[in-house]
Amino acid sequence: MNTQEIVSKLWNLCNVLRDDGITYHQYVTELTYILFLKMMQEKGNESAIPAEFRWASLKSKSGLELKSFYKKLLTELGENSTGRVREIYQGAATNIDEPKNLEKIITVIDELDWYSAQEEGFGDLYEGLLEKNAGEKKSGAGQYFTPRVLIDVMVRLMKPQPGEKCNDPACGTFGFMIAADAYLKQQTDEYFDLGHDEAEFQKKQAFSGCELVHDTHRLALMNAMLHGIEGPITLGDTLSNAGKGMKGFDLVLTNPPFGTKKGGERATRDDFTYPTSNKQLNFLQHIYRSLKHGGRAAVVLPDNVLFADGDGAKIRADLMDKCNLHTILRLPTGIFYAQGVKTNVLFFSRGSTDKGNTKEVWFYDLRTNMPSFGKTSPLKKEHFADFEAAYEAADRRSVQDERWSVFTREEIAAKADSLDLGLIRDDSVLDYEDLPDPIESGEECIAQLEEAVDLLKSVVKELQSLTRAEA
């Protein structure tokens, strides 16, 4: 049984819980509590779990005794254990009301082919569940799940290095940091090419994150642990003053949440130069300020970040001053589970000074004249091949690709610092030259309206004169 088959079997268990009114997201959280115990047993790593609350004890119970024991287990591990175990179970509570359903889940998990799962990697299995959850519209999890193919492209182009501090300030289930860790393990033979201290740094300090939602934070902790990552994952709001200490990073990779703060209030951070109710603009400020000099970032952001006026224009100008915003990738629509969202990846590096770092910005249009992407036609690695070739070209101006264009800082300034640029012709419009000029069309409409008003006035006068004559 391979990982995909195990994931399908675990996912189908959700049907067992329908009568308990369990949502998909609650189910994945519930699975996390139970899978953690089983995986610790399979890895021979149960020492951090009190003996009376290990897998064997849970499996030995049934009926009401099982339900009562399970509730006690969640409380004990969340309050009286230590380290990652306590973090994962802190505040844990079960939504499973029927003991038979709980017993069914434990039995199925216990009977799975765990030898094969361990061979393929527990981390891959868990990420498979997270992806299933994100793909299920009813779960609502797709809002923070970035397609793995996009994550991998961003990591490959950013090329994390041993000894660097990497961060995701809106880490969701920790996908970016896990991909960065996987990239580095591949480059260093699972860190065996590094010295002991360097390998320990990679394991315990190199990768960090912050997540606002408690249940999602729990999933991130579990995901990191199954991939052998012990770096700090904070439960909190990066846009509050708690985020002020998150800085000095060599690399930031992230897909922050989109939208505005609830109620339209501004971020509570008191160190932002341009506080706004727009969350993604605030995250952008946080990210480029969190980089050390020479640090770099790749960030997924929606279209409105590129053209929002007011504080948006000021933040873009500040970004282009403090950083070299060298590349913007215009992403296709339909690649996120939240349909219709138009997004981009901004690639930039912090300068050694805070003025004049951006000289020109290169754009790659992966949106216009592209296939319709979605759940049944996902974005694939090969769709990024031409962009990666252009991005890494020694001489970007030598690249022959209509999707690849450049604008100087002066040209951008002349457009009020708008970065809503770089999109090519859309073939769905047959002939652009036949389209009326918008200014001329507007002037023509005004002229026609004036003629109509004059005609109406003459009709009114005529009616008034006829009325007087009859009187």
Side-chain angles (χ1 to χ4, degrees):
M1 184 179 287
N2 60 32
T3 296
Q4 189 174 357
E5 290 169 333
I6 293 174
V7 167
S8 294
K9 195 157 189 175
L10 288 171
W11 190 251
N12 288 336
L13 279 173
C14 190
N15 297 326
V16 173
L17 301 178
R18 282 183 177 174
D19 291 341
D20 277 343
I22 305 291
T23 67
Y24 286 102
H25 194 62
Q26 287 172 332
Y27 173 58
V28 172
T29 303
E30 204 86 51
L31 263 186
T32 298
Y33 303 149
I34 301 171
L35 277 174
F36 177 86
L37 298 174
K38 179 60 178 173
M39 289 179 176
M40 290 304 97
Q41 183 201 53
E42 293 297 326
K43 292 172 73 174
N45 192 21
E46 292 183 287
S47 59
I49 304 170
E52 64 269 32
F53 297 114
R54 294 175 186 172
W55 180 257
S57 298
L58 181 67
K59 192 181 71 167
S60 68
K61 307 289 191 295
S62 62
L64 291 174
E65 182 189 14
L66 171 62
K67 181 180 175 180
S68 176
F69 176 79
Y70 180 56
K71 287 183 176 180
K72 183 180 179 183
L73 178 150
L74 296 180
T75 302
E76 285 292 323
L77 296 183
E79 294 179 0
N80 300 322
S81 56
T82 58
R84 273 285 195 260
V85 177
R86 180 171 184 171
E87 285 186 286
I88 289 172
Y89 287 95
Q90 201 159 37
T94 182
N95 292 289
I96 301 174
D97 190 52
E98 175 54 57
K100 286 182 179 178
N101 290 343
L102 179 59
E103 196 170 334
K104 172 74 171 175
I105 291 171
I106 292 168
T107 300
V108 170
I109 288 175
D110 192 58
E111 292 174 351
L112 289 173
D113 182 1
W114 288 102
Y115 177 79
S116 296
Q118 188 157 358
E119 285 292 299
E120 295 197 34
F122 289 140
D124 289 345
L125 188 157
Y126 192 69
E127 282 196 270
L129 282 170
L130 296 178
E131 189 163 6
K132 277 273 193 185
N133 189 34
E136 178 53 59
K137 290 181 180 179
K138 294 178 184 176
S139 79
Q143 62 184 315
Y144 60 77
F145 192 91
T146 310
R148 184 58 187 262
V149 63
L150 176 58
I151 290 176
D152 288 342
V153 167
M154 292 165 66
V155 169
R156 279 198 304 275
L157 295 178
M158 289 292 95
K159 296 179 173 57
Q161 300 296 310
E164 290 188 329
K165 285 191 172 183
C166 307
N167 179 260
D168 184 344
C171 68
T173 56
F174 216 55
F176 276 105
M177 296 297 98
I178 284 164
D181 173 64
Y183 174 90
L184 275 163
K185 282 175 176 171
Q186 190 175 34
Q187 303 296 316
T188 61
D189 188 20
E190 299 290 318
Y191 299 140
F192 285 116
D193 292 347
L194 305 180
H196 176 269
D197 290 347
E198 290 85 356
E200 282 295 294
F201 174 85
Q202 293 305 130
K203 183 179 180 180
K204 296 181 179 179
Q205 298 180 55
F207 306 103
S208 61
C210 182
E211 172 53 41
L212 176 64
V213 180
H214 199 160
D215 276 347
T216 308
H217 176 253
R218 199 189 315 278
L219 303 183
L221 291 167
M222 176 78 163
N223 208 7
M225 185 207 69
L226 292 175
H227 286 87
I229 301 173
E230 298 178 16
I233 305 176
T234 305
L235 175 62
D237 184 358
T238 299
L239 300 183
S240 73
N241 283 334
K244 289 164 66 175
M246 300 176 195
K247 57 186 177 182
F249 299 116
D250 297 281
L251 176 60
V252 172
L253 294 158
T254 189
N255 175 11
F258 305 160
T260 57
K261 295 278 283 184
K262 288 182 180 178
E265 77 270 18
R266 294 171 183 266
T268 57
R269 284 276 288 269
D270 59 15
D271 63 332
F272 283 160
T273 308
Y274 308 105
T276 168
S277 61
N278 184 309
K279 283 193 290 190
Q280 52 267 30
L281 284 172
N282 283 324
F283 267 107
L284 180 57
Q285 287 188 88
H286 164 81
I287 291 159
Y288 65 75
R289 295 162 70 103
S290 74
L291 293 172
K292 66 193 296 185
H293 292 299
R296 58 209 189 282
V299 186
V300 180
L301 291 166
D303 272 16
N304 67 15
V305 166
L306 304 185
F307 58 74
D309 56 11
D311 284 334
K314 293 174 184 175
I315 290 167
R316 289 191 300 275
D318 193 39
L319 166 67
M320 288 185 281
D321 261 345
K322 289 183 169 65
C323 301
N324 177 17
L325 174 62
H326 51 81
T327 313
I328 295 179
L329 171 63
R330 310 300 300 264
L331 288 169
T333 56
I335 65 171
F336 288 94
Y337 293 109
Q339 291 297 315
V341 177
K342 293 182 178 180
T343 55
N344 315 269
V345 184
L346 275 60
F347 297 87
F348 52 88
S349 55
R350 185 75 186 259
S352 55
T353 66
D354 284 349
K355 281 293 178 183
N357 280 289
T358 299
K359 307 300 182 188
E360 60 185 20
V361 183
W362 286 86
F363 291 80
Y364 195 92
D365 179 5
L366 202 62
R367 180 180 303 171
T368 315
N369 304 327
M370 291 296 287
S372 178
F373 294 105
K375 194 172 180 180
T376 56
S377 54
L379 193 65
K380 296 179 181 178
K381 179 180 177 180
E382 48 264 34
H383 289 120
F384 290 95
D386 290 339
F387 165 65
E388 291 190 66
Y391 183 100
E392 299 198 296
D395 177 10
R396 289 186 163 191
R397 281 181 166 75
S398 68
V399 175
Q400 300 297 310
D401 188 334
E402 68 167 343
R403 296 183 182 277
W404 191 231
S405 58
V406 64
F407 292 83
T408 66
R409 182 67 185 90
E410 291 72 26
E411 288 174 322
I412 294 167
K415 297 178 183 293
D417 286 326
S418 172
L419 292 168
D420 192 18
L421 306 166
L423 295 176
I424 58 175
R425 287 167 49 126
D426 188 340
D427 288 344
S428 64
V429 179
L430 296 179
D431 192 343
Y432 278 68
E433 293 178 1
D434 290 342
L435 292 174
D437 179 271
I439 295 175
E440 292 179 2
S441 298
E443 291 173 347
E444 187 178 335
C445 285
I446 291 170
Q448 289 174 349
L449 283 170
E450 288 175 344
E451 288 179 13
V453 169
D454 290 341
L455 179 62
L456 188 60
K457 284 180 179 178
S458 65
V459 170
V460 169
K461 284 181 181 178
E462 186 71 25
L463 285 172
Q464 287 173 339
S465 63
L466 285 171
T467 302
R468 284 195 292 271
E470 289 176 1

Short mmCIF file of all heavy atoms in Angstrom, two decimals, residues 268-311:
data_model
loop_
_atom_site.label_atom_id
_atom_site.label_comp_id
_atom_site.label_asym_id
_atom_site.label_seq_id
_atom_site.Cartn_x
_atom_site.Cartn_y
_atom_site.Cartn_z
N THR A 268 -2.34 46.43 14.25
CA THR A 268 -1.98 46.96 15.57
C THR A 268 -0.48 47.19 15.72
O THR A 268 -0.04 47.69 16.75
CB THR A 268 -2.48 46.02 16.69
OG1 THR A 268 -1.91 44.72 16.48
CG2 THR A 268 -3.98 45.91 16.68
N ARG A 269 0.30 46.83 14.71
CA ARG A 269 1.73 47.12 14.72
C ARG A 269 1.94 48.63 14.79
O ARG A 269 1.34 49.38 14.01
CB ARG A 269 2.41 46.56 13.47
CG ARG A 269 2.63 45.07 13.44
CD ARG A 269 3.89 44.66 14.15
NE ARG A 269 5.09 45.00 13.42
CZ ARG A 269 5.69 44.20 12.53
NH1 ARG A 269 5.17 43.00 12.26
NH2 ARG A 269 6.78 44.58 11.94
N ASP A 270 2.81 49.09 15.68
CA ASP A 270 3.05 50.53 15.77
C ASP A 270 4.34 50.95 15.08
O ASP A 270 4.76 52.10 15.19
CB ASP A 270 3.06 50.99 17.23
CG ASP A 270 4.12 50.28 18.08
OD1 ASP A 270 5.03 49.65 17.49
OD2 ASP A 270 4.04 50.36 19.31
N ASP A 271 4.96 50.01 14.36
CA ASP A 271 6.23 50.34 13.69
C ASP A 271 6.09 50.42 12.17
O ASP A 271 7.08 50.62 11.47
CB ASP A 271 7.32 49.33 14.06
CG ASP A 271 6.99 47.91 13.59
OD1 ASP A 271 5.79 47.60 13.49
OD2 ASP A 271 7.92 47.12 13.35
N PHE A 272 4.87 50.26 11.64
CA PHE A 272 4.67 50.38 10.20
C PHE A 272 4.63 51.86 9.81
O PHE A 272 3.91 52.66 10.42
CB PHE A 272 3.36 49.72 9.76
CG PHE A 272 3.41 48.22 9.70
CD1 PHE A 272 2.24 47.47 9.73
CD2 PHE A 272 4.62 47.55 9.62
CE1 PHE A 272 2.28 46.09 9.67
CE2 PHE A 272 4.67 46.16 9.56
CZ PHE A 272 3.50 45.43 9.59
N THR A 273 5.35 52.23 8.76
CA THR A 273 5.34 53.60 8.28
C THR A 273 4.00 53.94 7.66
O THR A 273 3.51 55.07 7.77
CB THR A 273 6.46 53.81 7.24
OG1 THR A 273 7.69 53.36 7.79
CG2 THR A 273 6.59 55.28 6.85
N TYR A 274 3.38 52.94 7.01
CA TYR A 274 2.12 53.17 6.31
C TYR A 274 1.07 52.17 6.79
O TYR A 274 0.79 51.18 6.10
CB TYR A 274 2.32 53.05 4.80
CG TYR A 274 3.46 53.90 4.28
CD1 TYR A 274 4.68 53.32 3.93
CD2 TYR A 274 3.32 55.28 4.17
CE1 TYR A 274 5.72 54.10 3.47
CE2 TYR A 274 4.36 56.07 3.71
CZ TYR A 274 5.56 55.48 3.36
OH TYR A 274 6.60 56.25 2.92
N PRO A 275 0.50 52.37 7.98
CA PRO A 275 -0.52 51.43 8.47
C PRO A 275 -1.77 51.50 7.62
O PRO A 275 -2.20 52.58 7.22
CB PRO A 275 -0.79 51.91 9.91
CG PRO A 275 -0.37 53.34 9.90
CD PRO A 275 0.74 53.47 8.91
N THR A 276 -2.34 50.35 7.31
CA THR A 276 -3.53 50.29 6.45
C THR A 276 -4.38 49.10 6.89
O THR A 276 -3.89 48.20 7.57
CB THR A 276 -3.13 50.15 4.97
OG1 THR A 276 -4.27 49.81 4.19
CG2 THR A 276 -2.09 49.05 4.78
N SER A 277 -5.64 49.08 6.48
CA SER A 277 -6.51 47.94 6.80
C SER A 277 -6.32 46.79 5.82
O SER A 277 -6.87 45.71 6.00
CB SER A 277 -7.98 48.37 6.81
OG SER A 277 -8.35 48.85 5.54
N ASN A 278 -5.52 47.02 4.77
CA ASN A 278 -5.24 46.00 3.76
C ASN A 278 -4.17 45.04 4.29
O ASN A 278 -3.00 45.41 4.41
CB ASN A 278 -4.78 46.69 2.46
CG ASN A 278 -4.56 45.72 1.32
OD1 ASN A 278 -3.86 44.73 1.47
ND2 ASN A 278 -5.14 46.03 0.17
N LYS A 279 -4.58 43.79 4.58
CA LYS A 279 -3.66 42.84 5.22
C LYS A 279 -2.44 42.54 4.37
O LYS A 279 -1.31 42.46 4.87
CB LYS A 279 -4.39 41.53 5.54
CG LYS A 279 -5.28 41.61 6.74
CD LYS A 279 -5.74 40.24 7.21
CE LYS A 279 -6.70 39.59 6.27
NZ LYS A 279 -7.32 38.37 6.83
N GLN A 280 -2.64 42.37 3.06
CA GLN A 280 -1.50 41.99 2.24
C GLN A 280 -0.48 43.11 2.11
O GLN A 280 0.73 42.85 2.03
CB GLN A 280 -1.93 41.48 0.86
CG GLN A 280 -2.85 42.38 0.09
CD GLN A 280 -4.32 42.05 0.29
OE1 GLN A 280 -4.71 41.58 1.35
NE2 GLN A 280 -5.14 42.29 -0.72
N LEU A 281 -0.93 44.36 2.12
CA LEU A 281 0.00 45.48 2.10
C LEU A 281 0.79 45.55 3.41
O LEU A 281 1.98 45.87 3.42
CB LEU A 281 -0.74 46.79 1.84
CG LEU A 281 -1.19 47.05 0.40
CD1 LEU A 281 -2.08 48.28 0.32
CD2 LEU A 281 0.01 47.21 -0.53
N ASN A 282 0.11 45.25 4.51
CA ASN A 282 0.81 45.22 5.80
C ASN A 282 1.82 44.07 5.85
O ASN A 282 2.93 44.23 6.38
CB ASN A 282 -0.20 45.09 6.95
CG ASN A 282 -0.90 46.40 7.26
OD1 ASN A 282 -0.28 47.47 7.17
ND2 ASN A 282 -2.17 46.35 7.60
N PHE A 283 1.43 42.91 5.33
CA PHE A 283 2.37 41.79 5.29
C PHE A 283 3.58 42.14 4.43
O PHE A 283 4.72 41.81 4.77
CB PHE A 283 1.70 40.53 4.78
CG PHE A 283 1.15 39.66 5.88
CD1 PHE A 283 -0.21 39.56 6.11
CD2 PHE A 283 2.02 38.92 6.69
CE1 PHE A 283 -0.70 38.77 7.14
CE2 PHE A 283 1.53 38.12 7.72
CZ PHE A 283 0.17 38.04 7.94
N LEU A 284 3.33 42.82 3.30
CA LEU A 284 4.45 43.21 2.43
C LEU A 284 5.42 44.11 3.19
O LEU A 284 6.64 43.92 3.12
CB LEU A 284 3.92 43.90 1.18
CG LEU A 284 4.98 44.37 0.17
CD1 LEU A 284 5.85 43.21 -0.30
CD2 LEU A 284 4.32 45.06 -1.02
N GLN A 285 4.87 45.09 3.94
CA GLN A 285 5.74 45.95 4.75
C GLN A 285 6.55 45.13 5.75
O GLN A 285 7.75 45.33 5.90
CB GLN A 285 4.90 46.98 5.51
CG GLN A 285 4.34 48.10 4.67
CD GLN A 285 3.69 49.16 5.54
OE1 GLN A 285 4.34 50.10 5.99
NE2 GLN A 285 2.40 49.01 5.77
N HIS A 286 5.85 44.22 6.43
CA HIS A 286 6.55 43.39 7.42
C HIS A 286 7.68 42.60 6.76
O HIS A 286 8.79 42.52 7.29
CB HIS A 286 5.59 42.41 8.09
CG HIS A 286 6.30 41.31 8.82
ND1 HIS A 286 6.84 41.47 10.07
CD2 HIS A 286 6.62 40.04 8.42
CE1 HIS A 286 7.46 40.35 10.43
NE2 HIS A 286 7.33 39.47 9.45
N ILE A 287 7.40 42.03 5.59
CA ILE A 287 8.37 41.11 4.96
C ILE A 287 9.65 41.84 4.57
O ILE A 287 10.75 41.40 4.92
CB ILE A 287 7.73 40.42 3.74
CG1 ILE A 287 6.63 39.44 4.21
CG2 ILE A 287 8.78 39.67 2.93
CD1 ILE A 287 5.62 39.10 3.13
N TYR A 288 9.53 42.97 3.86
CA TYR A 288 10.78 43.59 3.43
C TYR A 288 11.52 44.25 4.59
O TYR A 288 12.75 44.38 4.56
CB TYR A 288 10.59 44.54 2.24
CG TYR A 288 9.76 45.79 2.42
CD1 TYR A 288 10.25 46.90 3.10
CD2 TYR A 288 8.50 45.91 1.83
CE1 TYR A 288 9.51 48.08 3.22
CE2 TYR A 288 7.75 47.06 1.93
CZ TYR A 288 8.25 48.15 2.63
OH TYR A 288 7.52 49.30 2.74
N ARG A 289 10.80 44.60 5.67
CA ARG A 289 11.49 45.12 6.85
C ARG A 289 12.13 44.00 7.68
O ARG A 289 13.06 44.24 8.45
CB ARG A 289 10.49 45.89 7.71
CG ARG A 289 9.95 47.15 7.05
CD ARG A 289 8.68 47.62 7.72
NE ARG A 289 8.94 48.14 9.04
CZ ARG A 289 8.97 49.43 9.36
NH1 ARG A 289 8.76 50.34 8.43
NH2 ARG A 289 9.21 49.82 10.58
N SER A 290 11.61 42.76 7.52
CA SER A 290 12.13 41.64 8.31
C SER A 290 13.41 41.05 7.73
O SER A 290 14.08 40.23 8.37
CB SER A 290 11.08 40.53 8.44
OG SER A 290 10.94 39.82 7.22
N LEU A 291 13.75 41.45 6.48
CA LEU A 291 14.94 40.91 5.84
C LEU A 291 16.20 41.61 6.35
O LEU A 291 16.20 42.83 6.54
CB LEU A 291 14.86 41.09 4.33
CG LEU A 291 13.79 40.29 3.57
CD1 LEU A 291 13.75 40.75 2.11
CD2 LEU A 291 14.06 38.79 3.66
N LYS A 292 17.27 40.88 6.54
CA LYS A 292 18.56 41.49 6.80
C LYS A 292 19.09 42.08 5.50
O LYS A 292 18.58 41.76 4.41
CB LYS A 292 19.54 40.45 7.36
CG LYS A 292 19.90 39.36 6.39
CD LYS A 292 20.60 38.17 7.04
CE LYS A 292 21.93 38.52 7.63
NZ LYS A 292 22.65 37.32 8.14
N HIS A 293 20.10 42.95 5.58
CA HIS A 293 20.68 43.49 4.35
C HIS A 293 21.24 42.34 3.52
O HIS A 293 21.99 41.51 4.00
CB HIS A 293 21.78 44.50 4.69
CG HIS A 293 21.26 45.75 5.32
ND1 HIS A 293 20.37 46.59 4.68
CD2 HIS A 293 21.48 46.31 6.54
CE1 HIS A 293 20.07 47.61 5.47
NE2 HIS A 293 20.72 47.47 6.60
N GLY A 294 20.82 42.29 2.26
CA GLY A 294 21.21 41.18 1.39
C GLY A 294 20.23 40.03 1.43
O GLY A 294 20.32 39.10 0.63
N GLY A 295 19.27 40.05 2.38
CA GLY A 295 18.25 39.01 2.46
C GLY A 295 17.31 39.10 1.27
O GLY A 295 17.19 40.14 0.61
N ARG A 296 16.62 38.02 0.98
CA ARG A 296 15.76 37.97 -0.20
C ARG A 296 14.42 37.34 0.13
O ARG A 296 14.28 36.66 1.14
CB ARG A 296 16.46 37.22 -1.33
CG ARG A 296 16.85 35.80 -0.99
CD ARG A 296 18.11 35.35 -1.76
NE ARG A 296 18.33 33.90 -1.57
CZ ARG A 296 18.86 33.39 -0.48
NH1 ARG A 296 19.22 34.16 0.54
NH2 ARG A 296 19.04 32.08 -0.39
N ALA A 297 13.46 37.56 -0.77
CA ALA A 297 12.10 37.07 -0.51
C ALA A 297 11.41 36.74 -1.83
O ALA A 297 11.70 37.32 -2.87
CB ALA A 297 11.29 38.12 0.25
N ALA A 298 10.48 35.77 -1.74
CA ALA A 298 9.54 35.47 -2.82
C ALA A 298 8.17 35.38 -2.16
O ALA A 298 7.97 34.57 -1.25
CB ALA A 298 9.90 34.16 -3.51
N VAL A 299 7.25 36.24 -2.60
CA VAL A 299 5.98 36.41 -1.89
C VAL A 299 4.81 36.38 -2.87
O VAL A 299 4.82 37.07 -3.89
CB VAL A 299 5.96 37.77 -1.15
CG1 VAL A 299 4.71 37.89 -0.29
CG2 VAL A 299 7.21 37.96 -0.31
N VAL A 300 3.80 35.57 -2.56
CA VAL A 300 2.57 35.52 -3.36
C VAL A 300 1.63 36.63 -2.88
O VAL A 300 1.31 36.69 -1.69
CB VAL A 300 1.87 34.16 -3.24
CG1 VAL A 300 0.59 34.13 -4.09
CG2 VAL A 300 2.80 33.02 -3.64
N LEU A 301 1.22 37.51 -3.80
CA LEU A 301 0.35 38.63 -3.43
C LEU A 301 -0.71 38.84 -4.52
O LEU A 301 -0.46 38.60 -5.70
CB LEU A 301 1.17 39.91 -3.26
CG LEU A 301 2.12 39.93 -2.05
CD1 LEU A 301 3.11 41.07 -2.18
CD2 LEU A 301 1.32 40.05 -0.75
N PRO A 302 -1.90 39.33 -4.13
CA PRO A 302 -2.96 39.55 -5.12
C PRO A 302 -2.70 40.80 -5.96
O PRO A 302 -1.88 41.65 -5.61
CB PRO A 302 -4.20 39.72 -4.24
CG PRO A 302 -3.68 40.28 -2.96
CD PRO A 302 -2.33 39.66 -2.76
N ASP A 303 -3.44 40.90 -7.05
CA ASP A 303 -3.24 42.01 -8.00
C ASP A 303 -3.35 43.38 -7.35
O ASP A 303 -2.64 44.31 -7.74
CB ASP A 303 -4.27 41.91 -9.13
CG ASP A 303 -3.79 41.04 -10.28
OD1 ASP A 303 -2.81 40.28 -10.08
OD2 ASP A 303 -4.37 41.11 -11.38
N ASN A 304 -4.25 43.56 -6.38
CA ASN A 304 -4.47 44.92 -5.87
C ASN A 304 -3.24 45.52 -5.20
O ASN A 304 -3.12 46.73 -5.08
CB ASN A 304 -5.70 45.01 -4.96
CG ASN A 304 -5.56 44.25 -3.66
OD1 ASN A 304 -4.47 43.86 -3.25
ND2 ASN A 304 -6.68 44.02 -2.99
N VAL A 305 -2.30 44.67 -4.77
CA VAL A 305 -1.05 45.18 -4.22
C VAL A 305 -0.26 45.94 -5.29
O VAL A 305 0.48 46.88 -4.99
CB VAL A 305 -0.19 44.02 -3.65
CG1 VAL A 305 1.23 44.46 -3.37
CG2 VAL A 305 -0.82 43.48 -2.38
N LEU A 306 -0.45 45.55 -6.55
CA LEU A 306 0.30 46.16 -7.64
C LEU A 306 -0.24 47.53 -8.04
O LEU A 306 0.51 48.34 -8.61
CB LEU A 306 0.30 45.25 -8.87
CG LEU A 306 0.84 43.82 -8.70
CD1 LEU A 306 0.87 43.12 -10.05
CD2 LEU A 306 2.21 43.82 -8.07
N PHE A 307 -1.52 47.80 -7.75
CA PHE A 307 -2.08 49.06 -8.25
C PHE A 307 -2.81 49.90 -7.21
O PHE A 307 -3.23 51.02 -7.50
CB PHE A 307 -3.02 48.81 -9.43
CG PHE A 307 -4.17 47.88 -9.14
CD1 PHE A 307 -5.26 48.30 -8.38
CD2 PHE A 307 -4.17 46.59 -9.63
CE1 PHE A 307 -6.31 47.44 -8.11
CE2 PHE A 307 -5.22 45.73 -9.38
CZ PHE A 307 -6.30 46.15 -8.61
N ALA A 308 -2.98 49.40 -5.97
CA ALA A 308 -3.70 50.18 -4.94
C ALA A 308 -3.06 51.56 -4.79
O ALA A 308 -1.83 51.68 -4.70
CB ALA A 308 -3.69 49.43 -3.62
N ASP A 309 -3.89 52.61 -4.77
CA ASP A 309 -3.33 53.96 -4.65
C ASP A 309 -3.20 54.36 -3.18
O ASP A 309 -3.34 53.52 -2.29
CB ASP A 309 -4.17 54.97 -5.43
CG ASP A 309 -5.65 54.95 -5.00
OD1 ASP A 309 -5.95 54.32 -3.96
OD2 ASP A 309 -6.48 55.57 -5.69
N GLY A 310 -2.91 55.60 -2.91
CA GLY A 310 -2.75 56.05 -1.53
C GLY A 310 -1.57 55.39 -0.86
O GLY A 310 -0.43 55.43 -1.36
N ASP A 311 -1.84 54.72 0.27
CA ASP A 311 -0.77 54.03 1.00
C ASP A 311 -0.17 52.91 0.17
O ASP A 311 1.02 52.59 0.32
CB ASP A 311 -1.32 53.45 2.32
CG ASP A 311 -1.51 54.52 3.39
OD1 ASP A 311 -0.79 55.55 3.32
OD2 ASP A 311 -2.36 54.34 4.27
#
